[in-house]
Amino acid sequence: MESLLQEWDGETVVIQRDHPTGAWIFIAIHSTKLGPATGGTRMKHYPDQRAALEDALKLAAGMTFKFAVPGFDRGGGKAVISIPEELEPASRSELLMRYGKLVQQLGGAFYTGPDVGTSTADMDIIAETGSPYIFCRTPEKGGAGSSGPLTALGVFTGIQVVCEHVYGNSSLKDRKVLVQGVGSVGKTLIEYLRNAEADVMFSDVAEEIIQQYRDQPGIQYIPAEDVYQTECDVFAPCAFGGVINKETIPQLKCRIVAGGANNQFESPQDAERLRARDILYAPDYVINVGGAMGITGIEAQGWSWEEAEEKVIHTVRYALKRIIEMSEAESITTDEAARRMANEHLSHSTANTDLSMDVKEDF
Ligand code: PHE
C-alpha cells in the first residue's frame, strides 16, 4: 500500500476503517486545481485492501482528467468503500451514514455521487449525514436523481462523433453496436441506440438482465465469453474497467471502441495497441463526463435538466472532435491527445465556468 501511495501523483488520501462492518473507506482526492474534488462512491468487495486503494487512486485521477478535458470547474476525487462479501441491509445503511459523516468532516474538499455499487437511494442515506456534499439524491429527497441517463447521452454523442469520422456519417442506422453491461448507463444507451435504429447487441453477467433484454425485438444477446470476438462497428464497454488489454485487443473485430466504463485500459500501452490495429478509441473519460458534469451543474449551479443535456452534447462533441483532429495531425493516440487537452487546462488552471469554450461553430 505504501508504494501505491508513494507513486501516486494526487493530493490527499483519507482512509477510515469501519470497525462495526469490517469495511474500509478510501477517499482519494487527486486534484483540486480546477475546483473541489468530485467523484462517485464505489462500493464493492475487493480481493484485498490494496486492490481497493489502487482502484480509488486510479479512478480519482480519471475524474481529474474527466473534468479537465472540457475545463469544467471541478477537481478529481473518488471514494471506494471496500466491503466484506456479506453485508446486511441494516449494517449497510449504518456504514453509509458513517461514510456521510466522514465526507462532511472534509468540509467541501470532496463532493460525491453514485458509482458502481451505489444508487440514488444510497445517496439519500449518505446525505443524511453528508449533506450538502452529496449529489444524485432521489427527486423525492430534492436531488436530481441518477446520473446514468446524462452519462449515456454523452456516450451516445461520442459514438455519433466517431462514426461520423470513420464512416463519414453520424447516422447510427443499422450500425452494429455492442454494449457490454446493461447497468444505469448501458440501459439508457441502449434506448438511445434503438431510437437511432442501430443494430444493438448486448452482454451482461446478471441473469435477470439477460432475461429482460434477450427477447426484445431488434436486440441481440451476446454471451460474456464471446464479447471480444464479436464482429461489430462499435464496441461500447459500459461495465468494468480494464477490459481493453493485451489479451482482448488482438481479438477485437470492431472499428471503434466508445463506451461509458471508467478506466477501460488495463495499461497505458493499450492506447497504442488499439491504434496499431486501426481501431479508433473515444477516451472513456472524454465521453462519460455527462453524468458527473450534468448533475453537478444541475445541483450546484442551477442548470435545468434540458440545459444539462445541451451542455453534455456540446461538450462531448466539441472535445472529441478536437481530440480526433489533434491525434491525426500529430500522429498520437486519442488518449494522448485527450491528456494534452486536459493538461493544458490543468497547467493554466483555466476552469471554464460557462463551458462556451472558444467554439463558434454550431454543432
Ligand atoms: N460515477 C460518476 C462518474 O464516474 C460520478 C459522479 C456522478 C460524480 C454524479 C458526481 C455526480 O463520472
Side-chain angles (χ1 to χ4, degrees), residues 33-35 70-74 345 348-355:
K33 248 188 180 155
L34 298 183
F72 190 64
D73 57 349
R74 287 274 160 174
H345 285 133
H348 297 112
S349 293
T350 44
N352 199 339
T353 39
D354 70 353
L355 283 179

Side-chain angles (χ1 to χ4, degrees), residues 38-40 63 66 78 114-115 135-136 147 262 291-292:
T38 303
M63 291 307 296
K66 193 179 292 197
K78 202 92 179 191
D115 198 81
F135 293 126
C136 299
S147 55
N262 283 312

